[in-house]
Amino acid sequence: MRLFTLSLGLGAVLASIAVAAPAAAAPASDAANLRNTVGQSVCQVTTLNKWGIPVAYSTGFLLGDGRFVITDLGAVAQPGAALVQFQFIDGTKEDAWAFGFSDPALGLVALRVKTEAPSRAGLSLAPTLPPLETVGNVTAMGWRWGKQLDWVSGRLLRGPTIKEVAKRAQVETPSGVDAFLRMDGPRIETATGSPVIDSSGAVLAVRLDVEMRDAGLALAIPASSLRQSLLSAPPELKALAEVPKPLWPLPILRVKGEPPTLQEVLAGVQSLKQSLVCKLCGGKGKVGRLFHRGMANDEGNCILCQGAGIAVQDGFYPNLVVWAEQATRGAWAPALDDRARASMRSASQEILRSLATSNVQFRRMFGLAVFGEIVRSVPFPRGLVFFARVRDIVEGPDGRYFILDGKNPPWDAGQGPPKGPARRAAGEDVKRPGGRATRGAEAGTIAPLGPPDPAAVAGGDFTFAVRAEDMITTKGRKDPAQDSWIVMVGSLISYYKGDAYTGWAVLPLEWLPAPLPLTTKKP
Ligand SMILES: [Zn+2]
């Protein structure tokens, strides 16, 4: 990767914090006013890997003259991080490929906004920490669940010592800071990196989520410590790949949006299982031919489900994907307790078990439903349940990836996918960069991704990429083997462009082996 040769110039960071932002300096009499002024500088932060897959969400804010965004180092220092995107309340987006400052002890990083001429001003850091007993109402502003700009009011108080937090987070005690601050009152979930501001709009502190035992405090780092650290930092821009490891473990937000409760996920499973039951035969698979002419085939099997007792009918699939999205969000919710997560996963196994043993008729109908879902242009994340063959296992930017082929199998052969020469003849062994996405002109950059080539998708040439590490396998269970078939529940979180494949990136919730059903005749 090419190193950034662009010189930052000693003044840049310093100017950033010294320049008072006109917008922020305006007196803000109430929360709505603050939203209109300060809110313009507070952005949602998405960290993406080299394949364009989002790996973490957080909150950040523009500093000073608007050339740098301050956010949680832990959300940026993800394995394989190649690009950070900012989204502002008015819908505008900015990118960052580089950072100008980072401090593992403070847990903060300053990312360089790519645009040369900043279009909006940022916030200024309070030079000193005011005596805490005199600080009345302060406002924290951040993106709740990575989705919605929100603000809360409270008081800023002295928090636990660094030593105390380090002990509870099970990390080494860093030097350089003495104590955290904390904010009482309500908090904005997952909005780590949010500025805590006074009534003039100056930043007093920066919220920092730390994963630790008995979490429950809204911790914050004093802005004066950040300012001091910024002023003493060597002035240089570095590529994101060089961002140092954060000291503080962060509960990572992987799916945007508020997670459901365990009860909601479990209730969904029951109604889905009921709607799966074949309406024609009531789940029996057989229909008495004597009284129900035309509803059974020669063998007495129900014509709708071909004897399976389950069918893709009456809005089952649309309901299933809505549930899958919520269940994925629920199971990946940061700081969720292990028992709730395990319950969500075993609930999804209940559904997958019914699907895994289904017959050819069912899997054909299901495949059509999946295809109908992915060709629609919908915002991410989007739930999906699909059958797929493990087409390849490749090394990705942040670990191994399973490349799953969602194409329907050649049922007519009745013996699973063709092997060896037949497969090569079908062009399947030829790795080629499909899709319309093109590589960025600069090394170390990634181009904005769009949907895969519609023609390729229509031709059945589409893949799903799933990071192996995310397929949290139950103890003792093996990863799926190459060429084996599985059924998976998860959510589409983005498009992706790998070295050899393109398609959709999936954050999985659960999967089961789903061998091809044998066919005795042409469906
Ligand atoms: Zn039936």
Side-chain angles (χ1 to χ4, degrees):
M1 184 182 290
R2 188 173 68 91
L3 287 182
F4 284 80
T5 50
L6 183 61
S7 161
L8 180 59
L10 182 61
V13 171
L14 307 188
S16 273
I17 52 176
V19 173
S29 55
D30 53 31
N33 199 358
L34 272 185
R35 184 190 155 96
N36 290 335
T37 53
V38 173
Q40 304 295 321
S41 309
V42 180
C43 55
Q44 186 244 54
V45 178
T46 309
T47 305
L48 302 116
N49 69 16
K50 200 178 155 198
W51 285 8
I53 304 173
V55 290
Y57 296 99
S58 60
T59 289
F61 62 92
L62 281 168
L63 188 64
D65 63 7
R67 282 182 294 174
F68 287 89
V69 166
I70 298 287
T71 187
D72 188 318
L73 173 63
V76 173
Q78 293 294 310
L83 169 69
V84 178
Q85 288 180 330
F86 311 118
Q87 173 157 7
F88 293 89
I89 185 72
D90 61 5
T92 54
K93 290 180 178 175
E94 294 278 2
D95 292 343
W97 314 96
F99 69 101
F101 158 87
S102 70
D103 188 327
L106 296 181
L108 297 172
V109 63
L111 298 161
R112 177 68 162 97
V113 175
K114 196 180 166 203
T115 312
E116 282 305 319
S119 57
R120 67 182 79 216
L123 310 177
S124 56
L125 301 176
T128 52
L129 187 63
L132 289 175
E133 50 279 11
T134 66
V135 178
N137 263 10
V138 296
T139 303
M141 193 171 279
W143 288 71
R144 194 182 288 278
W145 299 115
K147 215 174 170 182
Q148 190 189 356
L149 184 65
D150 208 345
W151 66 90
V152 293
S153 295
R155 280 177 313 155
L156 203 54
L157 306 165
R158 197 164 299 284
T161 61
I162 290 291
K163 198 176 165 186
E164 220 175 301
V165 176
K167 193 178 164 197
R168 282 161 65 184
Q170 296 171 315
V171 297
E172 292 277 316
T173 307
S175 55
V177 240
D178 302 326
F180 275 98
L181 300 175
R182 68 183 173 90
M183 200 176 147
D184 67 357
R187 66 194 282 185
I188 306 173
E189 294 92 346
T190 74
T192 187
S194 301
V196 178
I197 48 194
D198 65 14
S199 58
S200 76
V203 180
L204 297 178
V206 184
R207 284 264 294 99
L208 198 72
D209 284 351
V210 178
E211 189 163 44
M212 56 183 179
R213 282 177 282 137
D214 320 314
L217 290 179
L219 297 177
I221 288 288
S224 51
S225 302
L226 170 62
R227 187 185 164 95
Q228 210 169 21
S229 188
L230 275 169
L231 290 171
S232 58
E236 54 175 336
L237 276 185
K238 289 181 183 169
L240 283 180
E242 292 179 57
V243 88
K245 278 204 165 63
L247 176 80
W248 306 107
L250 168 74
I252 304 276
L253 180 65
R254 296 286 303 275
V255 197
K256 277 189 285 183
E258 184 173 359
T261 63
L262 175 60
Q263 286 69 26
E264 285 165 340
V265 172
L266 299 186
V269 171
Q270 294 320 314
S271 78
L272 281 170
K273 280 177 73 184
Q274 279 160 22
S275 66
L276 197 52
V277 174
C278 176
K279 299 241 179 345
L280 192 58
C281 63
K284 289 195 281 289
K286 300 271 178 193
V287 181
R289 266 176 298 165
L290 194 56
F291 304 107
H292 303 279
R293 212 179 291 268
M295 286 161 60
N297 62 16
D298 295 344
E299 290 99 48
N301 284 335
C302 165
I303 52 159
L304 181 60
C305 66
Q306 302 283 335
I310 56 171
V312 183
Q313 59 194 346
D314 289 356
F316 167 74
Y317 196 77
N319 288 336
L320 182 63
V321 297
V322 169
W323 176 84
E325 181 184 326
Q326 280 295 77
T328 310
R329 191 176 273 130
W332 281 96
L336 181 74
D337 78 89
D338 291 345
R339 279 174 59 191
R341 184 174 286 118
S343 300
M344 290 188 202
R345 294 187 64 210
S346 60
S348 65
Q349 276 189 13
E350 267 190 63
I351 295 182
L352 292 184
R353 263 196 296 274
S354 315
L355 305 181
T357 54
S358 55
N359 62 9
V360 170
Q361 166 78 356
F362 184 90
R363 284 175 68 159
R364 286 184 66 227
M365 299 304 289
F366 203 89
L368 289 174
V370 171
F371 182 76
E373 187 64 27
I374 60 169
V375 294
R376 288 168 56 206
S377 180
V378 289
F380 297 118
R382 181 73 179 166
L384 198 75
V385 182
F386 59 100
F387 289 92
R389 177 173 67 89
V390 179
R391 177 159 159 180
D392 209 345
I393 301 167
V394 298
E395 208 51 49
D398 46 2
R400 264 186 328 139
Y401 274 79
F402 288 94
I403 303 298
L404 305 176
D405 190 335
K407 185 167 47 195
N408 261 339
W411 298 110
D412 299 307
Q415 297 145 341
K419 299 216 185 300
R423 206 172 90 208
R424 272 195 293 281
E428 285 196 24
D429 275 359
V430 184
K431 291 179 184 175
R432 57 197 179 82
R436 288 178 300 178
T438 48
R439 211 160 258 288
E442 274 181 83
T445 68
I446 51 176
L449 298 182
D453 186 347
V457 175
D461 189 14
F462 55 92
T463 60
F464 302 110
V466 185
R467 192 165 69 165
E469 190 190 306
D470 294 337
M471 293 174 62
I472 342 153
T473 34
T474 317
K475 246 188 183 168
R477 211 169 100 193
K478 283 188 200 147
D479 279 346
Q482 178 128 10
D483 269 336
S484 70
W485 281 82
I486 62 171
V487 59
M488 175 174 275
V489 52
S491 285
L492 306 175
I493 50 170
S494 69
Y495 303 114
Y496 86 96
K497 185 187 182 311
D499 301 325
Y501 302 102
T502 60
W504 287 265
V506 175
L507 187 63
L509 167 57
E510 188 55 284
W511 64 277
L512 285 180
L516 288 185
L518 291 175
T519 50
T520 50
K521 58 174 202 165
K522 287 189 177 184

